[in-house]
Amino acid sequence: MKKYVFLLFFCSLLWGQQKNSDKTIIPHIRLKVDSKKDHISLRWAVDEPIAWQKANKMGFSLKRFTLSRDGKVLEKAEEKDLGIFKPASENEWKKLVQENDNAAIVAQSLFGDSFEVEMGEKQGKLEGVVSKSQEVEQRFAYALMAADLDFKVAKLAGWAYTDTSVKPNERYLYTVSINTSEGSLLVQKGDALAAVSANTELPKPLDFIGIFKDKTVTLSWEYLQLRDIYTAYFVEKAQNGGSFKPLGNLPVMNMNDNEGRQVQGMTFVDSLAQNTTEFSYRIRGKTIFGEYGPYSDIVSGAGKKSLEATPRISNFIIDEDETIKLEWDFPKEDEKNITSFELLHSETDMQNSYKVIKNKIPVSDRSLITKSLAPSNYYKIQAIGKAGDKRESFSVLAQPNDVTPPDTPLEFKGKIDTLGVAHLEWKANTEKDLEGYHIFRGIQKGDELVRVTPQAITENHFEDKVVLENLNSKVYYYITATDRRKNQSRPSIILELEKPDKVKPQTPVFTEYKLEDDGKITINWMRSHSYDVAAHQLFRQAKEGADKSWKMIYETKDIQPAYTYTDKDVEADKSYTYYLLAIDKSKLKSDKSQEMTLRSNRIEALSILTNLSGAANRNKKQIELNWKISSKDVGEIIVYRQKGTEKPTLWGTLSGAQNFLEDQSVQTGNSYTYLIKPMLKNNQLAKTEKITIEY
């Protein structure tokens, strides 16, 4: 017995095998039991192909442990060795394979040099059947399938056993493991509890129905609930009330379960010789222990000729009162095959959107009048066949004139979050012909808003991305509604949204200081020039002593052009370092100002700029200032300008080596005061020089 060639019409892996090797870490022996009143049957199998092949050569060790007797748990379970099970020899298989296809499949899987599969005559060709890399898996799958169909074959393969030495007053634990006397193989043992049972009644198949069509019938029944009981079903057929006969010797088995998806029901399609004869069907299931269950309920019926003719809408007329007259064609000779017509309607022509708005239209009618139900009306005429089948025409579109725009969208509101996303929402319009909405946006008040939606949106909410770093602090929106005829509503209210602040304020600047005679330190600075500044803070660090932490010693929310603060909590002849912060309305903080270190009663501001002079040059229409620089450590020079009694503003920043400036933005009849402050690279404080020029 070196090679068997057999016909195969189906294949099923029961026992819940999965091919995903990532999930099968350790092979297991799967064990099932079936209890009767005088015996217990067992079936087992290894759930991984390579391990299954090795286990067949080593054999299986079956043991029984008696756990309880007469309702009492035994102190020590009574162990009984039921034997070592291996596949029967090739000679024993030869006696059976000639008359049993399942035996031939298992024998070929166990002993054949190669494993070939041929499809049945009506099944077509099987492409790419067995490559060498898949041969073990093929042997494994077909062998278990065949064993599940024939309990006698499973016994001959060493995968089944019937225990007749059981007693009704005892409860048992059965274990199946690899025969370790033949070597070692990492396979998890299988075990199962069992006791004899007087209840041997199997359930009958559930929800068995048949749908009869033109010379065919589709049988279906519930599969999932009984999948652990029945592995296969056999279908029987009777004609005109006669006796039932099997539809071949092969069972119907589930082929569609896979990982993550379980089939709820099973189906079987049978052809009918003619439509005028009544046929009846019944099914019954078979367990892996070779036992047949009871028959299902009987379903009966006859084939029904399919409707071939299809109606065709030939014309429609729309009257001024928006009534619509539809006309259609249908072969006169096919009226005998239908019961009526139906009128279908949809607003969109989308699949599954049509509804019956008029039924039981006489078979002789070829026109009707209906009312327009929407701005866009799609119609179909459907013929109802006597067998219950339906044939529908192609759709036609009928649109009454419409120049009325939708209502203006109401309750428009929104906000911009910290990520710069504008969340807009409004009350949904209720027009049946509404196509959607368009969003318009602007960044300056009074400017024309620009549409940001390339096509109408259908939801009554929208999210728009806003650039937070732009100088504009607000964004403006309005919306319009449009219908399918492109009629557009009036704009909604203009929504003004405040952007969250992401730009930190400008840094305030020290202007001068004064070391009081009593040791106090008076500090002057100019405010941050950010428009949204809300507060200024002054921080101090003691340069001497153990505590070197920075502490806020002053905060003001009163926004002024310039500030003066006298630090009274100082010690004489001690050094202190100061810096300033500005905080805006969004709680954003400016960069730290340049630090200024002062020593009470000892430190004077360095006079860096000397010989400061200036004049009005009316020929060039400018004010010119000149000075001398007495230090090479000047990093930059900050210049503030005050026009008359107005607040000083930052005029500009010069390089540390520049010793002049020319101000051309001056007007006749005004006085201009300039504050010129050198900033030293070593962070020492330099004196701010001041000069006023009349122009």
XYZ file of all heavy atoms in Angstrom, residues 120-177:
457
model
N -14.085 15.355 -7.890
C -15.143 14.575 -8.509
C -15.421 15.047 -9.916
O -15.026 16.121 -10.334
N -16.158 14.309 -10.636
C -16.347 14.570 -12.052
C -17.004 15.927 -12.318
O -16.670 16.621 -13.266
C -17.247 13.467 -12.608
C -17.140 13.293 -14.110
C -17.950 12.094 -14.514
O -17.413 10.987 -14.461
O -19.133 12.267 -14.845
N -17.887 16.357 -11.395
C -18.612 17.607 -11.595
C -18.004 18.757 -10.805
O -18.562 19.832 -10.746
C -20.080 17.435 -11.191
C -20.829 16.425 -12.046
C -22.283 16.336 -11.629
C -23.036 15.324 -12.478
N -24.460 15.241 -12.093
N -16.893 18.538 -10.189
C -16.339 19.568 -9.311
C -15.306 20.454 -9.997
O -14.813 21.392 -9.410
C -15.686 18.906 -8.082
C -16.623 18.012 -7.298
C -17.809 18.780 -6.752
O -17.628 19.795 -6.114
N -19.008 18.308 -7.011
N -14.905 20.174 -11.214
C -13.873 20.967 -11.885
C -12.496 20.526 -11.449
O -12.313 19.591 -10.696
N -11.471 21.199 -11.923
C -10.091 20.823 -11.591
C -9.618 21.565 -10.355
O -9.932 22.718 -10.145
C -9.174 21.137 -12.767
C -9.471 20.289 -13.999
C -8.484 20.583 -15.116
C -8.766 19.712 -16.327
N -7.808 19.981 -17.414
N -8.863 20.867 -9.553
C -8.271 21.475 -8.356
C -6.897 21.992 -8.731
O -6.030 21.229 -9.135
C -8.164 20.434 -7.243
C -7.673 20.952 -5.884
C -8.664 21.950 -5.329
C -7.488 19.798 -4.913
N -6.694 23.326 -8.609
C -5.449 23.941 -9.056
C -4.420 23.936 -7.936
O -4.701 24.309 -6.801
C -5.728 25.391 -9.496
C -6.685 25.457 -10.670
C -6.983 26.906 -11.055
O -6.436 27.798 -10.386
O -7.743 27.099 -11.995
N -3.258 23.568 -8.291
C -2.135 23.603 -7.337
C -2.406 22.760 -6.117
O -2.338 23.240 -4.990
N -2.764 21.481 -6.289
C -3.305 20.695 -5.180
C -2.300 20.517 -4.050
O -2.489 21.007 -2.956
C -3.816 19.334 -5.693
C -4.215 18.457 -4.548
C -4.996 19.539 -6.609
N -1.263 19.778 -4.264
C -0.380 19.432 -3.142
C 1.064 19.706 -3.534
O 1.613 18.990 -4.347
C -0.533 17.945 -2.738
C 0.328 17.636 -1.514
C -1.976 17.615 -2.464
N 1.639 20.713 -2.978
C 3.083 20.922 -3.149
C 3.778 20.193 -2.018
O 3.169 19.830 -1.017
C 3.421 22.419 -3.128
O 3.171 22.931 -1.848
N 5.070 20.000 -2.195
C 5.822 19.272 -1.166
C 5.780 19.986 0.171
O 5.751 19.370 1.228
C 7.278 19.088 -1.623
C 7.436 18.129 -2.791
C 6.952 16.732 -2.441
C 7.150 15.765 -3.609
N 6.632 14.412 -3.288
N 5.774 21.313 0.151
C 5.785 22.069 1.408
C 4.469 21.968 2.146
O 4.387 22.247 3.331
C 6.081 23.546 1.119
O 5.073 24.087 0.294
N 3.389 21.529 1.428
C 2.070 21.464 2.060
C 1.611 20.030 2.311
O 0.535 19.820 2.853
C 1.039 22.157 1.160
C 1.307 23.632 0.946
C 0.343 24.234 -0.057
O -0.015 23.575 -1.026
N -0.058 25.470 0.170
N 2.413 19.062 1.954
C 1.916 17.687 1.965
C 1.543 17.204 3.358
O 0.518 16.548 3.539
C 2.953 16.750 1.347
C 2.427 15.326 1.220
C 3.319 14.433 0.366
O 4.017 14.965 -0.510
O 3.306 13.225 0.612
N 2.326 17.559 4.373
C 2.003 17.103 5.735
C 0.673 17.691 6.183
O -0.164 16.994 6.784
C 3.135 17.493 6.712
C 2.729 17.163 8.149
C 4.412 16.749 6.356
N 0.454 18.961 5.876
C -0.803 19.581 6.264
C -1.978 18.942 5.536
O -3.056 18.775 6.116
C -0.767 21.083 5.972
C 0.183 21.858 6.874
C 0.061 23.363 6.669
O -0.827 23.772 5.901
O 0.846 24.099 7.277
N -1.777 18.566 4.269
C -2.841 17.907 3.528
C -3.167 16.542 4.144
O -4.335 16.186 4.325
C -2.423 17.735 2.058
C -2.245 19.042 1.302
C -3.579 19.690 0.953
O -4.624 19.070 1.129
N -3.544 20.919 0.497
N -2.143 15.789 4.439
C -2.369 14.478 5.082
C -3.144 14.650 6.385
O -4.112 13.935 6.671
C -1.033 13.783 5.356
C -0.270 13.332 4.121
C 1.106 12.789 4.509
N 1.905 12.388 3.351
C 1.956 11.151 2.861
N 1.246 10.201 3.443
N 2.695 10.866 1.807
N -2.704 15.610 7.199
C -3.312 15.887 8.500
C -4.792 16.250 8.340
O -5.671 15.693 9.007
C -2.519 17.035 9.142
C -3.139 17.641 10.357
C -3.213 16.954 11.556
C -3.635 18.940 10.314
C -3.765 17.542 12.670
C -4.195 19.532 11.419
C -4.259 18.823 12.605
N -5.102 17.166 7.431
C -6.471 17.658 7.284
C -7.414 16.560 6.795
O -8.491 16.343 7.364
C -6.494 18.849 6.329
N -7.009 15.866 5.730
C -7.900 14.858 5.161
C -8.057 13.641 6.070
O -9.122 13.034 6.135
C -7.391 14.430 3.782
C -7.427 15.545 2.772
C -6.306 15.869 2.020
C -8.583 16.274 2.582
C -6.336 16.902 1.101
C -8.636 17.301 1.664
C -7.505 17.621 0.923
O -7.550 18.637 0.023
N -7.007 13.287 6.782
C -7.108 12.144 7.696
C -8.099 12.424 8.807
O -8.938 11.577 9.148
C -5.724 11.817 8.266
N -8.034 13.622 9.414
C -8.966 13.947 10.495
C -10.391 14.050 9.969
O -11.345 13.638 10.645
C -8.560 15.252 11.167
C -7.277 15.209 12.011
C -7.116 16.506 12.769
C -7.289 14.042 12.977
N -10.549 14.591 8.753
C -11.877 14.666 8.162
C -12.474 13.270 7.981
O -13.622 13.015 8.359
C -11.803 15.401 6.821
C -13.111 15.486 6.042
S -13.437 14.039 5.001
C -12.077 14.109 3.867
N -11.711 12.396 7.428
C -12.215 11.039 7.189
C -12.505 10.316 8.500
O -13.497 9.588 8.615
C -11.197 10.255 6.356
N -11.653 10.507 9.503
C -11.878 9.861 10.795
C -13.124 10.402 11.474
O -13.831 9.667 12.177
C -10.656 10.055 11.692
N -13.402 11.691 11.280
C -14.604 12.275 11.870
C -15.866 11.690 11.243
O -16.929 11.673 11.864
C -14.602 13.797 11.689
C -13.651 14.482 12.659
O -13.165 13.802 13.581
O -13.384 15.686 12.482
N -15.768 11.233 10.020
C -16.930 10.673 9.337
C -17.145 9.189 9.648
O -18.221 8.657 9.370
C -16.788 10.864 7.828
C -16.839 12.316 7.319
C -16.570 12.354 5.827
C -18.183 12.935 7.647
N -16.158 8.509 10.182
C -16.277 7.057 10.400
C -15.551 6.689 11.685
O -14.312 6.707 11.752
C -15.675 6.312 9.200
C -16.103 4.851 9.169
O -16.133 4.222 10.251
O -16.386 4.348 8.073
N -16.301 6.383 12.736
C -15.720 6.061 14.045
C -14.900 4.771 13.976
O -13.871 4.632 14.659
C -16.845 5.925 15.073
C -16.349 5.867 16.494
C -15.700 6.946 17.070
C -16.547 4.719 17.260
C -15.247 6.892 18.376
C -16.105 4.661 18.566
C -15.454 5.745 19.129
N -15.329 3.828 13.135
C -14.581 2.575 12.988
C -13.195 2.849 12.411
O -12.190 2.261 12.846
C -15.366 1.621 12.082
C -14.695 0.267 11.862
C -15.556 -0.614 10.964
C -14.874 -1.958 10.694
N -15.695 -2.813 9.800
N -13.118 3.760 11.446
C -11.835 4.130 10.859
C -10.964 4.841 11.890
O -9.747 4.630 11.958
C -12.062 5.021 9.616
C -10.748 5.605 9.112
C -12.732 4.212 8.514
N -11.557 5.721 12.714
C -10.808 6.419 13.756
C -10.193 5.430 14.737
O -9.058 5.607 15.197
C -11.726 7.401 14.481
N -10.934 4.361 15.066
C -10.385 3.333 15.960
C -9.193 2.644 15.316
O -8.159 2.404 15.959
C -11.467 2.300 16.294
C -12.461 2.748 17.345
C -13.393 1.589 17.707
C -14.305 1.949 18.854
N -15.187 0.823 19.254
N -9.323 2.307 14.025
C -8.247 1.611 13.336
C -6.987 2.486 13.263
O -5.869 1.981 13.242
C -8.711 1.212 11.934
C -7.901 0.113 11.219
C -7.961 -1.197 12.001
C -8.440 -0.087 9.802
N -7.181 3.819 13.264
C -6.053 4.747 13.202
C -5.440 5.002 14.572
O -4.428 5.700 14.680
C -6.499 6.070 12.584
N -6.033 4.455 15.644
C -5.510 4.679 16.980
C -5.928 5.999 17.577
O -5.255 6.530 18.463
N -7.067 6.547 17.108
C -7.533 7.844 17.579
C -8.892 7.737 18.273
O -9.538 8.757 18.518
C -7.674 8.824 16.410
C -6.428 8.952 15.584
C -5.149 8.782 15.993
C -6.373 9.250 14.186
N -4.279 8.956 14.968
C -5.003 9.266 13.825
C -7.309 9.539 13.207
C -4.568 9.520 12.540
C -6.884 9.806 11.928
C -5.528 9.794 11.601
N -9.333 6.541 18.618
C -10.647 6.380 19.230
C -10.656 5.113 20.085
O -9.855 4.178 19.875
C -11.738 6.323 18.162
N -11.605 5.084 21.034
C -11.706 3.924 21.931
C -13.105 3.925 22.540
O -13.681 4.994 22.818
C -10.656 4.017 23.033
C -10.734 2.898 24.061
C -10.306 1.610 23.745
C -11.236 3.137 25.329
C -10.381 0.584 24.675
C -11.301 2.126 26.281
C -10.883 0.851 25.943
O -10.948 -0.159 26.868
N -13.648 2.726 22.754
C -14.925 2.580 23.451
C -14.678 1.827 24.757
O -14.199 0.682 24.745
C -15.946 1.827 22.592
O -16.185 2.565 21.386
C -17.262 1.675 23.344
N -14.985 2.474 25.872
C -14.765 1.892 27.202
C -16.070 1.259 27.671
O -17.049 1.957 27.968
C -14.320 2.991 28.169
C -13.904 2.416 29.527
O -13.915 1.175 29.675
O -13.565 3.225 30.419
N -16.093 -0.081 27.718
C -17.304 -0.801 28.152
C -17.241 -1.226 29.607
O -18.230 -1.705 30.153
C -17.513 -2.042 27.267
O -16.335 -2.869 27.323
C -17.757 -1.641 25.823
N -16.076 -1.061 30.253
C -15.926 -1.469 31.664
C -16.263 -0.301 32.581
O -15.495 0.061 33.473
C -14.497 -1.956 31.913
O -13.570 -0.908 31.678
N -17.406 0.324 32.340
C -17.817 1.476 33.140
C -19.033 1.102 33.966
O -19.766 0.157 33.644
C -18.133 2.677 32.230
C -16.857 3.198 31.573
C -19.152 2.300 31.148
N -19.239 1.830 35.048
C -20.345 1.548 35.962
C -21.179 2.813 36.147
O -20.647 3.925 36.142
C -19.812 1.070 37.304
C -19.017 -0.229 37.197
C -18.479 -0.654 38.558
C -17.665 -1.952 38.450
N -17.120 -2.363 39.769
N -22.475 2.642 36.337
C -23.354 3.821 36.428
C -23.146 4.658 37.688
O -23.575 5.803 37.729
C -24.754 3.210 36.377
C -24.584 1.806 36.847
C -23.237 1.361 36.375
N -22.499 4.075 38.718
C -22.333 4.814 39.975
C -20.951 5.453 40.092
O -20.568 5.882 41.188
C -22.567 3.881 41.157
C -21.548 2.743 41.210
O -20.984 2.372 40.172
N -21.294 2.206 42.395
N -20.216 5.515 38.986
C -18.861 6.061 39.058
C -18.700 7.240 38.091
O -19.400 7.337 37.093
C -17.837 4.973 38.705
C -17.790 3.852 39.724
C -16.777 2.767 39.369
O -16.352 2.736 38.185
O -16.425 1.975 40.253
N -17.741 8.119 38.434
C -17.405 9.276 37.599
C -15.919 9.187 37.274
O -15.091 8.886 38.147
C -17.725 10.579 38.334
C -17.542 11.822 37.483
C -18.057 13.054 38.232
N -17.857 14.271 37.481
C -18.645 14.707 36.516
N -19.706 13.987 36.180
N -18.396 15.847 35.881
N -15.556 9.498 35.985
C -14.198 9.224 35.524
C -13.539 10.486 34.934
O -14.210 11.415 34.468
C -14.221 8.143 34.432
C -14.947 6.882 34.835
C -16.231 6.631 34.351
C -14.353 5.955 35.696
C -16.911 5.482 34.714
C -15.032 4.801 36.057
C -16.310 4.567 35.574
O -16.974 3.434 35.937
N -12.205 10.442 34.948
C -11.377 11.393 34.214
C -10.510 10.588 33.256
O -9.767 9.698 33.675
C -10.484 12.210 35.159
C -9.421 13.071 34.458
C -10.088 14.204 33.686
C -8.407 13.617 35.463
N -10.622 10.892 31.950
C -9.797 10.230 30.939
C -8.679 11.184 30.515
O -8.895 12.390 30.339
C -10.638 9.857 29.721
C -11.642 8.764 29.984
C -12.936 9.081 30.387
C -11.307 7.423 29.816
C -13.878 8.094 30.628
C -12.238 6.420 30.054
C -13.525 6.756 30.463
O -14.440 5.773 30.691
N -7.476 10.631 30.337
C -6.354 11.430 29.837
C -5.687 10.689 28.682
O -5.530 9.465 28.718
C -5.306 11.704 30.931
O -4.692 10.468 31.324
C -5.922 12.377 32.129
N -5.321 11.451 27.657
C -4.596 10.910 26.508
C -3.292 11.687 26.395
O -3.289 12.914 26.348
C -5.397 11.044 25.208
C -4.608 10.468 24.032
C -6.737 10.341 25.328
N -2.170 10.961 26.342
C -0.866 11.611 26.226
C -0.004 10.828 25.242
O -0.370 9.731 24.804
C -0.182 11.699 27.597
O -0.024 10.401 28.155
